[in-house]
Amino acid sequence: MANDINLFLEENNYKKATLIGHSLGGRVVLQFSFLWPEIVEKLVVVDISPLSSIPRSFFTKPSFTDELSDSLRDIPQDMSLSEARKRVNDKIKPIISV
């Protein structure tokens, strides 16, 4: 599905895009932004689980949700929400271009 977005943008001569995805669409636009970050101007993702339910073997590159899942694994149960968010942000920040 991420490839479909890329094909649509290429066929319509778009060089940059603002993408919005809900649920499965959120996962699709996250994967798109991971594969083609230079095209994504803005990204809005709504209502997705942070854990990947798609086997990693479906992707030639790791997906954003895989990276996010990996960053969540070692968070202690008793850590505050704000501390956990900062910790995850610090771990995934290197793979996100702003």
Side-chain angles (χ1 to χ4, degrees):
M1 286 187 249
N3 285 327
D4 290 338
I5 294 171
N6 191 46
L7 288 172
F8 172 83
L9 295 173
E10 284 179 357
E11 289 174 2
N12 290 282
N13 226 13
Y14 290 104
K15 303 296 181 216
K16 291 279 187 185
T18 296
L19 302 172
I20 301 171
H22 175 264
S23 194
L24 175 60
R27 289 179 181 270
V28 172
V29 296
L30 282 171
Q31 182 64 24
F32 180 92
S33 69
F34 192 75
L35 295 172
W36 295 283
E38 68 282 359
I39 297 174
V40 179
E41 189 168 346
K42 294 181 183 176
L43 185 66
V44 179
V45 180
V46 182
D47 196 25
I48 69 163
S49 166
L51 303 177
S52 179
S53 60
I54 303 169
R56 290 178 188 217
S57 62
F58 283 112
F59 298 104
T60 56
K61 293 183 179 180
S63 72
F64 178 82
T65 53
D66 292 332
E67 297 292 334
L68 182 58
S69 295
D70 290 345
S71 72
L72 294 172
R73 284 201 178 91
D74 62 345
I75 294 179
Q77 293 278 339
D78 60 345
M79 182 176 277
S80 73
L81 183 57
S82 62
E83 289 174 314
R85 284 181 177 160
K86 181 177 179 344
R87 189 172 183 168
V88 169
N89 185 50
D90 290 344
K91 287 185 177 184
I92 64 172
K93 195 173 188 175
I95 66 167
I96 300 171
S97 61
V98 182

